[in-house]
Amino acid sequence: MKPLGWAIVGPGRIAHRFAAALAGLPATALVGVHGRDEQRALAFARQWARPGGPAARVAPDLATLLAQPDVDAVYIATPHSLHGSAVHACLLAGKPVLCEKPLVPSLAQAQALVALAQERQVFLMEAMWTRFLPVYDQVGDWLREQAIGPLHGLQSSFCFATPFDATSRLFDPALAGGALLDIGIYNLSMTRWVLQQALGECPPLQGLHAQGRLAPTGVDQRVAATLDFGQGLVSQFVCGFDGTADNGLRIFGERGHIEVPQQFWQATQALLHRDGEAPLSVEAPLAINGFEGEITEAMRCIRAGAVQSPLMPHRETLATMGWLDRLRQAVGVRYPGA
């Protein structure tokens, strides 16, 4: 099989993880890199050159990168506020896109890009890598089998402490900073995934209650929220940059609960607790570093000529972004592009 040539836009920290997964997969090649800092882009390309092979070409601008005939797909890992323009350019150039979450900072922007992808018939997928981790295959089986009985609710946390820095992408409103967009999106996306596995679909949101603490720059530093789906079914979560939490995911049912005990977004362990039984623990190691699942799915779709992935379809990106818009409004976040 001819290697699928990938280009990377935004060769920063998260792109290194993508490149490491790419290097461990068959029938792939890193052929192009573009970044705002040319020297960093050159260093990135040299670091991820395959032994005995050439380094990826470093393009001075996005248009040059997209003109390369060997670029079959583009991975975008720039700050959130820059995603939209890069995705738009890729779609117009006919280049399939895997874009880091969040796809863009607002529902309106996401709707425009999804419409363009469908109009141009070019593949577009938000890189929600957690959904492709092996451990969630087991969690999905338990939910579909109703191993814990009818679903009652969920709780999750994603918090870490980092010093405030107004220029950091986490806190800068011009870069679409804030806890919800950066980490709360995992709580929300996996809430939708759990409900879909247990119920066949995610029920409409009946109500939403959120409280937050804003950073001095006006972005959300911490948010705690309850999502109400009716008939007593709720999802509660907290995300934040100003403290720590257990960072687990717990799913409650009538006859037990499922626990992903720590760092649920990159988990390798899940536990099934059923009334009157000893807990069942399942380990599912990562094949490389966890990014391989989303890359493999994107390549499968691209080679099949698909416009979206059935495992991370456009409607999921739009639905989650709609929740994010509502949550940011509820806690008073305002910044350009939101």
Side-chain angles (χ1 to χ4, degrees):
M1 185 182 295
K2 176 183 177 294
L4 193 142
W6 283 91
I8 291 177
V9 178
R13 180 183 59 83
I14 203 68
H16 280 280
R17 190 164 186 167
F18 178 89
L22 197 68
L25 290 170
T28 65
L30 178 60
V31 299
V33 178
H34 168 61
R36 291 173 292 174
D37 184 329
E38 184 178 10
Q39 290 306 309
R40 185 167 78 163
L42 285 167
F44 184 97
R46 288 193 294 267
Q47 177 177 344
W48 293 108
R50 299 216 171 170
R57 291 186 296 279
V58 173
D61 52 60
L62 185 55
T64 301
L65 182 78
L66 297 177
Q68 290 182 202
D70 56 351
V71 171
D72 300 310
V74 180
Y75 170 69
I76 296 172
T78 60
H80 304 155
S81 60
L82 304 178
H83 286 180
S85 59
V87 172
H88 187 267
C90 290
L91 294 176
L92 289 180
K95 300 294 187 180
V97 180
L98 177 62
C99 180
E100 262 308 322
K101 56 76 200 165
L103 179 65
V104 280
S106 72
L107 177 58
Q109 294 177 53
Q111 289 170 328
L113 290 178
V114 165
L116 181 61
Q118 293 178 352
E119 174 192 334
R120 295 288 179 128
Q121 289 292 287
V122 180
F123 178 78
L124 173 63
M125 182 174 121
E126 184 179 34
M128 182 49 64
W129 63 294
T130 303
R131 289 185 175 218
F132 300 92
L133 298 179
V135 74
Y136 285 106
D137 291 338
Q138 179 61 75
V139 174
D141 286 344
W142 287 336
L143 290 170
R144 290 187 293 273
E145 295 164 1
Q146 290 208 335
I148 58 172
L151 187 65
H152 284 182
L154 303 81
Q155 290 179 340
S156 63
S157 58
F158 192 162
C159 300
F160 60 90
T162 188
F164 173 74
D165 177 357
T167 66
S168 162
R169 69 169 188 84
L170 298 179
F171 295 104
D172 187 347
L175 298 177
L180 280 165
L181 285 179
D182 196 65
I183 53 180
I185 189 171
Y186 288 102
N187 304 83
L188 295 173
S189 185
M190 293 311 291
T191 288
R192 293 190 57 81
W193 181 86
V194 166
L195 293 172
Q196 288 159 357
Q197 303 309 304
L199 306 176
E201 62 180 358
C202 181
L205 192 59
Q206 300 297 313
L208 176 153
H209 177 73
Q211 293 180 313
R213 177 186 179 189
L214 300 186
T217 51
V219 304
D220 49 303
Q221 187 162 319
R222 182 176 69 246
V223 174
T226 298
L227 308 180
D228 179 6
F229 299 96
Q231 299 184 337
L233 178 59
V234 299
S235 177
Q236 299 171 314
F237 77 92
V238 60
C239 63
F241 298 145
D242 60 352
T244 61
D246 67 353
N247 291 342
L249 166 67
R250 289 160 298 280
I251 307 164
F252 306 110
E254 187 176 286
R255 297 187 296 276
H257 69 279
I258 296 167
E259 181 183 11
V260 183
Q262 55 188 348
Q263 296 188 331
F264 73 88
W265 61 92
Q266 57 182 5
T268 59
Q269 181 192 29
L271 295 98
L272 175 64
H273 301 263
R274 291 198 283 198
D275 293 347
E277 300 179 15
L280 173 62
S281 176
V282 171
E283 297 283 345
L286 307 177
I288 303 174
N289 63 16
F291 274 31
E292 62 276 5
E294 66 179 5
I295 297 172
T296 299
E297 171 64 5
M299 292 197 303
R300 183 192 69 80
C301 293
I302 291 166
R303 288 190 166 117
V307 176
Q308 59 184 311
S309 163
L311 302 179
M312 185 61 199
H314 295 160
R315 67 175 179 273
E316 282 303 294
T317 293
L318 297 178
T320 302
M321 186 52 63
W323 288 0
L324 284 163
D325 276 5
R326 290 180 62 180
L327 285 163
R328 289 200 307 268
Q329 182 178 18
V331 299
V333 175
R334 295 289 185 273
Y335 54 71

